[in-house]
Amino acid sequence: MAGPIKDFSALKSLRKEIKAQDEARQAAAAETKRREQEARRDADIFRSSIGNVKPLAVPPKFTPAIPRPLPIARQHLADEQAALEESLSDDFNIETLLDTDETLSFARNGIGPDVMRKLRRGHWTIQQQLDLHGLRREEAREALAEFLRLAAKRGWRCVRIIHGKGLGSINKEPVLKSKVRNWLVQKEEVLAFCQATAAEGGSGALLVLLKGQVAT
C-alpha cells in the first residue's frame, strides 16, 4: 500500500499520473477498436471479391477391381485338338520312305547307316516309353502326338513305342503296327526308328531316335 500524501504538490503529481494512465488506456482501447474494424473491413472485401463459396464435392472412393484370369475359350482348345490330330494323318504313304529290311526301319535324310546300326544295337539309353496296348486308333494317335510333344519339351533322345503284335485284334493283325510307323514318319523331330530288340519288345515295339545331339 502506498504511503500517505503529505502535501499539495504530491497530490498534484498523483493526479497527473492517474490522468496519464487513463489516457494510455483510452489510446490502447481506441487502437484495438481500430484494428478490429480494419480486420472486419478486410474480411468484407475478401468475401465480396470471391462471392459465394461452396465446399467441393468429395468423389466416391474408387477401388480398382482385381482382374480375373481370362477364360480359356473352348473353341481354342478344340482348334488345338484338331491341329494335333491333323498333324498325324492316316492318308500319308510311307512305303517308299521305309528301308526294305524286314523290320521296315526308317532314317531321315542325313542320318547315316552307322546311326541305324547303333540304334538297332541299343546304343542309346531308352529314356521313356509309351505303351499303346488296348487303345483304339484315334486314342493311339492322340497319345503318340502328345508323347512326342512332351519328349521335345523334356529333351528325350531315345524312346520306345510299344504298339503290340496284334494278337488280341481281329484276324490277329497288328493294326497299330503300321499306323505308328506312318505317324512317326510325319513328325520332323523323329530322326529314325527301327524294330526293338527281342529283349525290348521285338516286333511289338519300336526304338525311336529324336532330334538332338546324337552321341557317338
Side-chain angles (χ1 to χ4, degrees):
M1 179 176 178
I5 300 174
K6 297 181 178 180
D7 54 29
F8 179 75
S9 61
L11 178 59
K12 187 177 180 179
S13 177
L14 178 61
R15 287 177 178 175
K16 289 182 179 180
E17 183 179 348
I18 293 174
K19 183 179 180 181
Q21 292 177 354
D22 288 342
E23 290 176 350
R25 283 195 295 268
Q26 292 175 3
E31 179 65 18
T32 301
K33 184 177 181 180
R34 185 189 66 78
R35 290 183 180 180
E36 290 177 351
Q37 291 175 345
E38 185 177 354
R40 284 196 296 269
R41 185 172 59 253
D42 291 343
D44 292 340
I45 294 174
F46 176 76
R47 282 193 293 268
S48 63
S49 64
I50 64 174
N52 294 331
V53 178
K54 294 182 180 179
L56 293 175
V58 179
K61 184 178 180 181
F62 174 72
T63 303
I66 300 176
R68 297 181 179 180
L70 296 176
I72 300 176
R74 294 183 178 180
Q75 184 60 45
H76 178 68
L77 295 178
D79 292 343
E80 282 194 347
Q81 183 63 30
L84 181 64
E85 294 178 356
E86 290 175 1
S87 65
L88 298 177
S89 172
D90 286 333
D91 298 329
F92 190 79
N93 186 0
I94 64 169
E95 296 301 327
T96 59
L97 301 178
L98 298 178
D99 290 346
T100 55
D101 59 13
E102 62 180 4
T103 66
L104 296 179
S105 58
F106 166 78
R108 204 168 293 280
N109 290 337
I111 301 299
D114 57 327
V115 173
M116 290 302 301
R117 284 194 296 269
K118 290 180 178 180
L119 184 61
R120 291 190 183 98
R121 295 173 182 173
H123 176 80
W124 289 281
T125 301
I126 298 174
Q127 295 172 280
Q128 193 55 265
Q129 68 177 20
L130 173 66
D131 191 346
L132 301 176
H133 269 116
L135 299 182
R136 296 181 180 181
R137 184 183 65 181
E138 295 301 324
E139 295 172 337
R141 178 168 58 180
E142 182 178 343
L144 179 60
E146 185 62 30
F147 178 75
L148 293 177
R149 178 186 296 180
L150 180 61
K153 290 182 179 179
R154 298 290 176 83
W156 297 335
R157 296 294 175 255
C158 185
V159 297
R160 177 171 59 177
I161 307 297
I162 303 173
H163 50 64
K165 299 179 180 181
L167 300 179
S169 60
I170 300 176
N171 299 325
K172 305 298 182 181
E173 294 181 359
V175 178
L176 288 181
K177 184 174 183 177
S178 60
K179 293 295 182 183
V180 170
R181 284 175 166 80
N182 189 354
W183 296 332
L184 286 174
V185 169
Q186 298 176 56
K187 303 299 290 184
E188 293 185 358
E189 60 266 36
V190 175
L191 298 180
F193 62 76
C194 66
Q195 180 175 296
T197 63
E200 297 291 350
S203 61
L206 292 174
L207 298 182
V208 183
L209 186 65
L210 302 175
K211 271 186 178 180
Q213 184 177 0
V214 180
T216 57

